[in-house]
Amino acid sequence: MQQLDQKSRSTPLEALTRDARALANGDTVLSAPEAEVARQLQICNACRYCEGFCAVFPAMTRRLEFGKADIHYLANLCHNCGACLHACQYAPPHEFAVNVPQAMAQVRVQTYVDYAWPPALGALYQRNGLTLSLALAAGLAIFLLLALALNGTLWGGDLRGNFYNVFPHNLLVGLFAPVFLFAVLALGLGVRRFWREVTPATTGAPVSGPAAAEATSDVLRLKYLDGGHGEGCHNADDEYTLARRRAHHLTFYGFMLCFAATSVATVYHYAFGWTAPYDLPSLPKLLGVAGGLSLLMGTAGLFKLNLQRHPLQGDASQKPMDRGFIALLFFASLTGLALWLARGSVALPSLLAVHLGVVMALFATLPYGKFAHGIFRSAALLRHAVEKRQPDRLGLGAD
């Protein structure tokens, strides 16, 4: 407590100035959001009240100072569950103004910008609302115009319920494959740069089997959305809730089921010559319907929770990015399910054009929107699982 008492004699401005000056990482000076995270973590490191809440605080106790790589690593470990904010005696309106979820959220966006590939496109994170709007408009325009050009109509026609009578299979592959592969490449190169920077800051030890298994389990279970005690995290007030965790699970596994449906359909088409459309009870349709319904419920839940979010929790400037990504996922699932139900109707060409336009916008913005948080957070959780298995050089932490 002596360390905390010494800090309490400094004003927040003095502490920020001191830490920003002291925490230069080589020739790289911390940005204002990074310096703010460093300032708050110095206070947290003296208090330790939240040590058992999530992965951030045990990892924090292994450090006395916080350089850029440490801050990027810890910011991506944070799941913005809000437990520390609602428990903190130094949270606003206290003069220390400790708000770890908000400070971490601001740095996470900077992380995505800094590690974006190609670097010039990192600015799309900061203009995400405009990026999503343009991508959606372009995607819709492409497929609406193609439908008119190829079929002469967006309503009716003798299509016999077959999507490929509207857009040929090879045309769709030629349009979507390059966009999807670019998204995978951009995300992969971005997270590789992040991994290289944080590895020395997290002991640099290689990944072991047990560490990989633990990190995979933490990702798949969304362990740190339980508040660190299993009762859930905070959203609108001081009450614990598991609603965010459940909505995230529905969204994540719904997305994965839809991806699995597309993957199985690809195998059917190329390996066995079984061409679409597929109907129940075929495996692609079972996976697709289950995934679509799960994604629909999950994104609706996330949007409702986002509207109810406590104003001190997270970064308000990120809400357009969050809501834009949620909306794309919601309408991708909604139009996909509507397309299946209306497959034999005259609305098929129009619904198909709209669905493909939304999916194209989703693919095009994957590397430069909210989707990136899952990739970077998974990498941070893996480094945490590796680091916690190494000796604590300071000997100050609980683990």
Side-chain angles (χ1 to χ4, degrees), residues 225-244:
L225 280 181
D226 68 357
H229 39 61
E231 296 182 64
C233 59
H234 302 275
N235 190 65
D237 48 36
D238 288 335
E239 185 179 357
Y240 296 121
T241 175
L242 289 168
R244 279 188 72 225

Side-chain angles (χ1 to χ4, degrees), residues 264-275 278:
V264 171
T266 301
V267 173
Y268 276 16
H269 184 92
Y270 288 106
F272 302 110
W274 301 340
T275 58
Y278 308 106

Side-chain angles (χ1 to χ4, degrees), residues 138-153:
L140 290 173
I142 288 171
F143 287 102
L144 289 173
L145 290 173
L146 278 174
L148 283 172
L150 294 173
N151 302 282
T153 181

Side-chain angles (χ1 to χ4, degrees), residues 188-264:
L189 292 177
V191 80
R192 185 180 71 167
R193 289 183 58 208
F194 171 75
W195 182 265
R196 286 177 174 175
E197 179 172 311
V198 304
T199 294
T202 53
T203 73
V207 176
S208 64
E214 179 182 333
T216 301
S217 174
D218 290 347
V219 170
L220 295 179
R221 293 187 297 122
L222 291 174
K223 175 181 177 181
Y224 295 109
L225 280 181
D226 68 357
H229 39 61
E231 296 182 64
C233 59
H234 302 275
N235 190 65
D237 48 36
D238 288 335
E239 185 179 357
Y240 296 121
T241 175
L242 289 168
R244 279 188 72 225
R245 189 182 190 188
R246 290 166 179 160
H248 273 88
H249 269 139
L250 286 169
T251 301
F252 173 72
Y253 286 108
F255 181 87
M256 295 306 295
L257 285 170
C258 290
F259 184 76
T262 303
S263 301
V264 171

Side-chain angles (χ1 to χ4, degrees), residues 12-99:
L13 180 59
E14 290 169 343
L16 178 58
T17 304
R18 181 187 66 243
D19 290 333
R21 182 171 59 247
L23 295 173
N25 184 15
D27 293 329
T28 304
V29 178
L30 300 183
S31 67
E34 290 166 343
E36 176 61 14
V37 167
R39 179 189 74 83
Q40 294 191 26
L41 290 181
Q42 292 284 4
I43 297 171
C44 294
N45 227 348
C47 175
R48 305 289 182 90
Y49 182 81
C50 298
E51 194 168 10
F53 279 0
C54 73
V56 170
F57 296 99
M60 174 197 72
T61 62
R62 290 174 170 261
R63 294 155 173 80
L64 292 178
E65 293 186 344
F66 302 92
K68 185 180 287 286
D70 299 296
I71 293 167
H72 284 190
Y73 161 60
L74 294 172
N76 283 280
L77 269 185
C78 174
H79 286 55
N80 199 13
C81 79
C84 58
L85 172 65
H86 290 269
C88 183
Q89 59 187 320
Y90 302 115
H94 192 279
E95 64 171 339
F96 286 178
V98 174
N99 186 340

